[in-house]
Amino acid sequence: MKFIHLTDTHVIGGGGLLFGANPAQRLAWAVDSIIAEHGDAAFVVVTGDMTHWGDAAAYAAFAEHISLLHMPVHLMVGNHDDTSAFADRFPGTPRDDAGFVQYSFATPQGRALCLDTTSAGTHAGAYCETRQNWLRAQLEGSDDPLLLFMHHPPFPVGIAGMDAIMMRDPDRFYDVIAPHAARIRHLFFGHVHRPIFGNWRGISYSCMRGLNHQVALKLDTDQDGVIGNFEAPAYGVVLVTEDRVTVHMHDFTDRSPQFSLSSPVSQG
Ligand SMILES: [Fe+2]
């Protein structure tokens, strides 16, 4: 199974610039790349921050481009999204009984769980008791292998300004998933706008760059400082088999020359 992990598109309405770059244009480039290079992907997951300001015009611009993808696209909200404005534009995206944008879907390699980690009025993440109860029921509902998707990481990544707005109360979240951790194949998240790979309490994870602006690799900032930059945008190309999860980061705007690395055949 191949799928695409796209995150933090931060689209704004009206075709304007955000920090000097055009997020809608970058989404258009990403969509073109996915269609041209990975049209065989089974689905796409967008792990939040579809828009920067959460306004209707931005969701309209996001929809205009994302709708060109022919495979199923599973959308999730992040701290820059507005659930109400999102739902107006994408009424078909499932929500739980409490209105949170979280749902599961079947894949050929197990069940995908898309979690809503947003918290009104803050850029930090949360996973309240209501959502924990929903997740507990989902986890107890089947023995399938699991792929977890969320916007905020439930652990620090070493960048103080981003760690200050990670998911709060990670231990309570972990208590919910711990009985099922052995069948969680991988945890995918966004929010940090960086390629980050590792392992949390035995669960492998990855984060991808955003499409517009990135977070610079500054491990010595204080909690008030997040430094941005324009490292190349990327999306994840994920290959899943029964015994492997492989995450490729694709710098899809790279146009450097390509050439053969094969050794020349000796003529001697
Ligand atoms: Fe973001």
Side-chain angles (χ1 to χ4, degrees), residues 41-127:
F43 56 88
V44 176
V45 180
V46 184
T47 50
D49 283 2
M50 293 168 278
T51 69
H52 191 68
W53 302 116
D55 56 298
Y59 287 108
F62 177 83
E64 178 186 336
H65 297 294
I66 207 80
S67 63
L68 297 177
L69 292 169
H70 56 272
M71 64 285 282
V73 180
H74 303 283
L75 303 177
M76 300 169 58
V77 288
N79 49 295
H80 281 272
D81 288 305
D82 179 276
T83 294
S84 176
F86 165 69
D88 286 345
R89 175 57 64 170
F90 294 97
T93 301
R95 296 165 72 175
D96 68 13
D97 291 343
F100 292 106
V101 184
Q102 50 179 13
Y103 52 89
S104 72
F105 64 93
T107 84
Q109 291 293 337
R111 182 149 288 274
L113 284 172
C114 298
L115 311 184
D116 183 338
T117 60
T118 60
S119 181
T122 173
H123 285 301
Y127 208 68

Side-chain angles (χ1 to χ4, degrees), residues 119-176:
S119 181
T122 173
H123 285 301
Y127 208 68
C128 59
E129 199 171 336
T130 300
R131 283 173 278 188
Q132 290 171 22
N133 290 336
W134 177 90
L135 178 56
R136 196 173 286 111
Q138 292 287 320
L139 292 168
E140 291 171 355
S142 85
D143 295 324
D144 293 342
L146 300 164
L147 298 168
L148 272 189
F149 298 89
M150 51 208 296
H151 182 70
H152 297 80
F155 44 79
V157 297
I159 300 172
M162 295 306 294
D163 292 344
I165 53 171
M166 59 176 258
M167 176 200 274
R168 292 180 179 144
D169 292 328
D171 287 339
R172 286 188 195 163
F173 172 74
Y174 183 73
D175 287 346
V176 176

Side-chain angles (χ1 to χ4, degrees), residues 2 74 80 109 133 161 194 215 224 252 254 262:
K2 176 200 274 192
H74 303 283
H80 281 272
Q109 291 293 337
N133 290 336
R194 286 212 60 77
V215 170
D224 296 325
F252 60 90
D254 178 73
S262 303

Side-chain angles (χ1 to χ4, degrees), residues 152-245:
H152 297 80
F155 44 79
V157 297
I159 300 172
M162 295 306 294
D163 292 344
I165 53 171
M166 59 176 258
M167 176 200 274
R168 292 180 179 144
D169 292 328
D171 287 339
R172 286 188 195 163
F173 172 74
Y174 183 73
D175 287 346
V176 176
I177 64 172
H180 310 275
R183 60 190 173 96
I184 298 176
R185 304 284 311 278
H186 197 77
L187 164 59
F188 301 86
F189 61 90
H191 191 49
V192 192
H193 294 229
R194 286 212 60 77
I196 305 171
F197 307 88
N199 187 295
W200 177 55
R201 300 179 182 178
I203 301 170
S204 63
Y205 66 75
S206 57
C207 177
M208 283 293 132
R209 289 201 186 108
L211 292 197
N212 192 68
H213 51 285
Q214 316 302 343
V215 170
L217 182 58
K218 297 285 187 186
L219 301 179
D220 53 358
T221 56
D222 60 33
Q223 292 213 338
D224 296 325
V226 176
I227 308 299
N229 70 12
F230 280 117
E231 290 173 37
Y235 59 76
V237 180
V238 185
L239 306 175
V240 186
T241 64
E242 281 189 15
D243 69 346
R244 294 190 304 280
V245 175

